[in-house]
Amino acid sequence: MLYQQSSNMLKFRTSAPVAPLARLAGLALCIVLILSPAISRAQALDSALIKQLSAEGLSLDDLANLQVIGVTRTAQRSSDAPATVRIVTADQIRLRGYQSLSEVLADLPDIKIETNSDPRWQNDVQIRGVFGMDKFIILLDGVRISSPTNEIIPVMENYPVNLARQIEVVYGPASAVYGADALAGVINIVTKKPEDLTQGAAYGAVPDAGFQGMLQGGQYDTFIGNFVAARKVSDLVRFTITGQYFYDRQPQLDAVRDYRKNGGDINDFHRSGMFPTDLGFTQTTSAPLSTEIANPITTYGLYGSLQIGDLRLNVFRNYSHTPSSTANKPNNAVYNESNYFGHAVTMFNATYATFFGSNFGSTTFLTYSLYDLDNQSNFRNAFTNMNPAYLFSLGRMFKAEELLTYTATNELSLTGGITFETFFAIPRGHDLENVVSDAENPSSPIVGSTILPGYPQGIAARFFKLNYNNLGTFAQVQYMPVPELILTLGARADRDSRFAATFNPRLGVVYRPSARLTAKALYGSAFLAPSPSSAYDEFGSFFPTGDPAAPVASAFMRLSNPDLGPQRIQTFELSLRAGLTDELSVSVQGYYNLLSGLFSQVSDAASGNRYNGAYPLAPGVPVFYIETIINQGNQTNYGGTVQVDYVQKFSATNRVALYAALSLVDGTVDVLDTNSVNRGLVRSEIGGVSPVMFRIGGDVVIDNFSFSPRLIVATSQRSHPQQGAAFQPGTNNTKRNLIAGYALLNLTARYQILKQAAVFVRVQNALNQNIRNVNLGAGVPEGGGSAQVEFPEGAPQNPVRATAGIQFQF
């Protein structure tokens, strides 16, 4: 069965977060004006009709055989799909009170979330030992809603978890179907239909309109509100609309509030404007500075879909405002609300699906997607002399795709397609003195360069304008020679105008000797196209030397490499799932990853000397060390998960669903030997992982009450792989420094007070543990280079936090 996809977008620029009350008022107005017809039709239903199309109360076998789309782009049972895929249902989202995509992922095995760990995009994600939020793609009904040019953006409340009928997390490479960037996995959010929003839909009643929403608030002015509404206008016309707004003032963490240096603390630094940085000297800011310590987070998401017969029109936008002081010591960064990163993705999509007879289907996609970095985004830290340094970036894509399916017989089906994408990007580069006001023709001097002798206008930052395209085609055949065996063979070829063609095959063997036993043997490959920022990111600074003959110089600069090629991965995987009884199952997965062509930072002088020791826009100014990025080195990692699931339904209103999962990951990676004069490659442990993680939790439903505890236990965490300074001093540089592990307990309790309303309480970090996550500077000893300005113990995390809210449905 061919799956009809969707996508989204509406574009407007926001330079600063709108006040929470204003956003709440706007949200309420939208609800009242647009959705009042749905609300007015709400009526009480008999309690026997409370069951919904949200996988509520399904058995283990039913849950294991839910249909998924994200693996092959056609609907099939998850047990038959040629991949390891985990499904989070709308029922689980409702019971556990998930409000962000990162919360959903954190409870899944083989995934590690580093929260509050990066000043650029707040969180980081590692899947099966492959680190980075640019290593997987996020889809909405099969259409990409992560950055079109694969710039990294936060994964948090900006993605519409509240809209999900189910969330499919596909582990492993998927370039054989999706092309670039599906290196470590694919996340597909399948949206709700009008009948999913109405009580009694499972019994055949399909009202004309439905509405769901949630309001939640708690400590530190935390607020989140969302709604989803759908209306069936006629048999051919229906629409869906949703919105979500999130605000979090965030607690002032002990590690920030109590940090002291040179006899002062964060309040003293802000009052005086003098910061005793870890660079070895005190910096005094010359720009206005607020004494209010503030680092709030704001996000929103908007989505609309209009279905007219076989045509579906979609628009989606998300925005995230996160502090650029995240994971920085308070003596090295300014903790003001005006210092932040603002990322936005806006996407429009039209999808036309039709069938010819019962065997042949065609789906056409037209998608326009835009990424832009809010032009007020800025760093203000030790590397910018405590003055604002602005950033600018944008990227856009137009994509046309044709997907064809053919069911030859009950045993044989074929899927294929062709894709054309064209891109334009201005990558993020140097820290800028001024806010960029002309997005099509950006210009600004490099921050701090206007005070250099002989440069009254400063030294101009380079802005690259990139135009490139990609042509891809793929084919896949699935064959069932006997009812117990499904064979999948597929491949995709892509030709990106920036680098040579890529070819990515896929092979899957699924064997089901009985309804409760499934074995899978899988092979897949993928490639990560170098994003514009990966290849063209530039940074560094200049300083006056005091030498009349050469009054200006630079100690260090990172400069671009337009010839950067893709990273590649091959994955071998075995899995087994056995239903031991009606209530109990066990599953085992093991994988082996081979990555090549890793992005490695090296000396320009030792790798082609492209820049000959000078910044191109200031050729007379020497740069003592120029770093560039090349494809160099390999990574091997391996691991797996053992998971036990137990589901018992005692009555129509009493049930329990529990899980326990033990995950292992390890491996090695090529990195630069910082203790070597020649700076050659050495083989080191992979970083950014906890080699052992244990999860246990689930949902207990007793009549109108539910309780959902989830515990995540992580062993000692390794520092990041890109940090040569993070090695143990005096060793052969094969071991990573470590930070402490943690035990994170999250709780949700929910009570259905009315047929259309439930109240709930969420407690995060219920054990109030002093948790640290891996950040850029984790494990770096004092004097360990630029990363020393970060927390060497790891990024501090939030203490125990409680919120409460109400869920409602009409």
Side-chain angles (χ1 to χ4, degrees):
M1 174 182 176
L2 189 63
Y3 179 65
Q4 300 180 15
Q5 295 174 292
S6 76
S7 67
N8 333 7
M9 267 21 293
L10 192 64
K11 162 79 175 113
F12 56 90
R13 180 179 292 276
T14 303
S15 60
V18 177
L21 290 178
R23 282 280 171 79
L24 178 58
L27 182 65
L29 184 62
C30 288
I31 294 172
V32 172
L33 293 181
I34 301 176
L35 309 175
S36 55
I39 298 174
S40 66
R41 291 178 54 90
Q43 53 181 326
L45 299 178
D46 186 85
S47 59
L49 302 182
I50 289 178
K51 180 176 179 181
Q52 302 168 47
L53 291 178
S54 58
E56 179 179 329
L58 295 184
S59 68
L60 272 177
D61 289 340
D62 290 336
L63 289 170
N65 289 291
L66 288 173
Q67 284 197 335
V68 296
I69 311 301
V71 179
T72 61
R73 303 188 68 179
T74 57
Q76 63 183 141
R77 296 186 302 185
S78 60
S79 57
D80 294 343
T84 294
V85 55
R86 299 189 184 274
I87 300 172
V88 180
T89 67
D91 186 48
Q92 292 167 336
I93 293 170
R94 178 172 58 93
L95 294 178
R96 300 172 189 178
Y98 288 137
Q99 63 187 30
S100 71
L101 186 56
S102 61
E103 288 181 353
V104 173
L105 298 177
D107 282 340
L108 298 181
D110 295 315
I111 296 178
K112 187 171 187 287
I113 308 294
E114 312 294 354
T115 57
N116 301 335
S117 62
D118 198 295
R120 297 161 294 181
W121 40 76
Q122 194 70 18
N123 301 335
D124 278 309
V125 178
Q126 174 255 114
I127 301 177
R128 287 184 167 181
V130 179
F131 185 86
M133 293 192 295
D134 56 344
K135 306 300 193 304
F136 57 91
I137 59 175
I138 302 174
L139 311 173
L140 191 65
D141 288 332
V143 178
R144 181 170 179 156
I145 56 173
S146 48
S147 169
T149 49
N150 211 29
E151 311 299 329
I152 300 176
I153 66 173
V155 176
M156 44 197 310
E157 287 78 4
N158 53 334
Y159 286 103
V161 171
N162 64 302
L163 181 62
R165 184 181 188 183
Q166 66 185 38
I167 299 175
E168 305 165 354
V169 180
V170 182
Y171 292 78
S175 286
V177 177
Y178 292 102
D181 308 331
L183 196 81
V186 173
I187 300 167
N188 186 33
I189 301 172
V190 180
T191 62
K192 296 173 181 175
K193 300 184 173 79
E195 53 266 33
D196 298 324
L197 302 180
T198 55
Q199 297 181 13
Y203 296 86
V206 184
D208 293 338
F211 173 76
Q212 292 178 350
M214 185 270 289
L215 295 172
Q216 180 182 168
Q219 296 168 288
Y220 313 109
D221 297 336
T222 301
F223 170 78
I224 182 168
N226 61 50
F227 71 90
V228 183
R231 185 173 181 84
K232 180 182 177 183
V233 180
S234 69
D235 290 340
L236 293 178
V237 179
R238 62 178 65 191
F239 73 85
T240 302
I241 186 170
T242 185
Q244 175 163 293
Y245 173 76
F246 171 74
Y247 176 84
D248 182 5
R249 177 168 56 85
Q250 295 203 92
Q252 191 178 143
L253 302 175
D254 292 345
V256 173
R257 183 185 61 245
D258 299 336
Y259 184 88
R260 299 189 67 83
K261 186 165 185 177
N262 292 3
D265 61 16
I266 186 170
N267 295 292
D268 297 322
F269 306 153
H270 281 68
R271 279 193 295 264
S272 66
M274 301 173 64
F275 292 76
T277 70
D278 284 348
L279 298 183
F281 51 88
T282 295
Q283 294 183 354
T284 303
T285 179
S286 59
L289 180 67
S290 172
T291 58
E292 180 185 4
I293 311 303
N295 56 337
I297 296 174
T298 306
T299 71
Y300 67 77
L302 300 170
Y303 168 81
S305 175
L306 175 64
Q307 182 92 34
I308 306 173
D310 295 329
L311 176 66
R312 187 172 180 181
L313 305 174
N314 308 279
V315 57
F316 172 81
R317 176 178 171 84
N318 70 10
Y319 176 81
S320 59
H321 172 287
T322 57
S324 58
S325 56
T326 297
N328 276 255
K329 294 179 185 177
N331 63 311
N332 293 315
V334 172
Y335 276 71
N336 278 180
E337 184 173 355
S338 58
N339 308 124
Y340 69 94
F341 268 69
H343 300 272
V345 171
T346 306
M347 190 267 288
F348 299 90
N349 165 260
T351 300
Y352 182 76
T354 188
F355 293 87
F356 303 93
S358 59
N359 295 336
F360 183 74
S362 167
T363 308
T364 303
F365 307 91
L366 297 176
T367 304
Y368 174 80
S369 184
L370 173 69
Y371 161 78
D372 69 298
L373 181 65
D374 187 330
N375 63 356
Q376 299 287 332
S377 298
N378 70 92
F379 284 118
R380 194 171 183 182
N381 56 33
F383 299 105
T384 69
N385 201 32
M386 293 299 170
N387 292 320
Y390 296 98
L391 287 306
F392 177 80
S393 179
L394 67 83
R396 53 182 180 251
M397 173 202 72
F398 175 76
K399 178 177 182 178
E401 183 174 28
E402 179 67 25
L403 177 67
L404 303 173
T405 62
Y406 177 63
T407 303
T409 66
N410 291 334
E411 295 77 28
L412 179 66
S413 64
L414 297 95
T415 305
I418 187 168
T419 302
F420 176 75
E421 302 162 291
T422 181
F423 301 87
F424 172 77
I426 302 178
R428 195 190 79 201
H430 267 98
D431 297 338
L432 308 176
E433 183 80 25
N434 304 320
V435 173
V436 170
S437 57
D438 185 349
E440 298 300 321
N441 298 287
S443 65
S444 173
I446 296 173
V447 68
S449 65
T450 55
I451 62 172
L452 296 173
Y455 289 90
Q457 304 302 317
I459 297 175
R462 290 206 294 178
F463 290 90
F464 298 92
K465 294 184 178 182
L466 309 180
N467 289 280
Y468 58 100
N469 55 67
N470 180 74
L471 179 64
T473 183
F474 77 96
Q476 175 179 273
V477 57
Q478 287 194 297
Y479 177 57
M480 187 169 60
V482 293
E484 299 82 14
L485 183 65
I486 302 175
L487 306 176
T488 303
L489 178 63
R492 176 170 174 137
D494 286 89
R495 180 64 174 90
D496 191 297
S497 60
R498 298 173 297 165
F499 48 83
T502 58
F503 180 75
N504 292 281
R506 169 197 238 177
L507 175 65
V509 178
V510 178
Y511 178 57
R512 298 190 66 189
S514 68
R516 290 185 177 172
L517 182 62
T518 303
K520 297 182 181 182
L522 309 169
Y523 168 80
S525 60
F527 72 103
L528 175 72
S531 69
S533 285
S534 295
Y536 289 88
D537 189 20
E538 298 192 334
F539 53 85
S541 60
F542 300 91
F543 63 91
T545 64
D547 182 355
V552 176
S554 174
F556 169 88
M557 293 203 107
R558 159 79 70 79
L559 298 180
S560 64
N561 177 12
D563 298 324
L564 188 66
Q567 296 183 33
R568 300 175 186 269
I569 190 173
Q570 298 182 80
T571 295
F572 304 85
E573 182 175 353
L574 295 173
S575 70
L576 179 70
R577 179 191 177 275
L580 305 180
T581 68
D582 288 345
E583 298 80 25
L584 183 67
S585 71
V586 61
S587 60
V588 181
Q589 293 92 31
Y591 60 87
Y592 185 80
N593 290 331
L594 295 173
L595 292 97
S596 60
L598 302 183
F599 298 164
S600 182
Q601 293 79 37
V602 299
S603 164
D604 179 62
S607 58
N609 203 24
R610 179 190 300 269
Y611 294 101
N612 198 29
Y615 178 55
L617 299 188
V621 176
V623 181
F624 301 148
Y625 184 86
I626 295 179
E627 177 183 274
T628 192
I629 187 168
I630 65 171
N631 299 103
Q632 177 181 259
N634 303 310
Q635 176 176 322
T636 300
N637 64 282
Y638 46 86
T641 290
V642 178
Q643 178 161 331
V644 177
D645 291 280
Y646 176 77
V647 172
Q648 176 69 65
K649 188 171 182 180
F650 302 102
S651 68
T653 58
N654 294 274
R655 56 193 168 94
V656 62
L658 305 175
Y659 64 86
L662 178 67
S663 300
L664 308 176
V665 61
D666 211 333
T668 58
V669 61
D670 293 331
V671 294
L672 289 176
D673 183 354
T674 57
N675 292 338
S676 169
V677 174
N678 297 322
R679 291 176 63 82
L681 292 176
V682 296
R683 201 72 172 165
S684 172
E685 294 176 322
I686 60 171
V689 302
S690 291
V692 180
M693 294 190 72
F694 177 70
R695 291 172 171 85
I696 186 169
D699 310 300
V700 179
V701 180
I702 304 173
D703 295 326
N704 293 331
F705 175 77
S706 68
F707 181 60
S708 301
R710 287 100 59 210
L711 175 67
I712 303 172
V713 179
T715 60
S716 296
Q717 306 170 78
R718 294 178 186 166
S719 58
H720 274 313
Q722 66 265 35
Q723 292 174 221
F727 296 126
Q728 297 282 3
T731 71
N732 62 358
N733 288 352
T734 61
K735 297 291 184 181
R736 294 285 167 192
N737 284 342
L738 300 176
I739 65 172
Y742 57 84
L744 177 62
L745 177 64
N746 297 323
L747 307 172
T748 305
R750 182 179 180 275
Y751 185 75
Q752 193 83 31
I753 56 174
L754 298 171
K755 294 171 183 177
Q756 285 82 29
V759 293
F760 65 94
V761 176
R762 295 181 357 129
V763 182
Q764 297 171 289
N765 190 11
L767 301 176
N768 199 25
Q769 299 291 290
N770 183 19
I771 294 173
R772 301 279 182 148
N773 273 348
V774 178
N775 62 300
L776 182 64
V780 178
E782 290 297 327
S786 62
Q788 67 181 318
V789 305
E790 316 284 358
F791 286 101
E793 315 93 326
Q797 301 300 296
N798 288 329
V800 59
R801 299 189 62 177
T803 56
I806 182 170
Q807 300 169 338
F808 42 89
Q809 173 173 322
F810 300 96

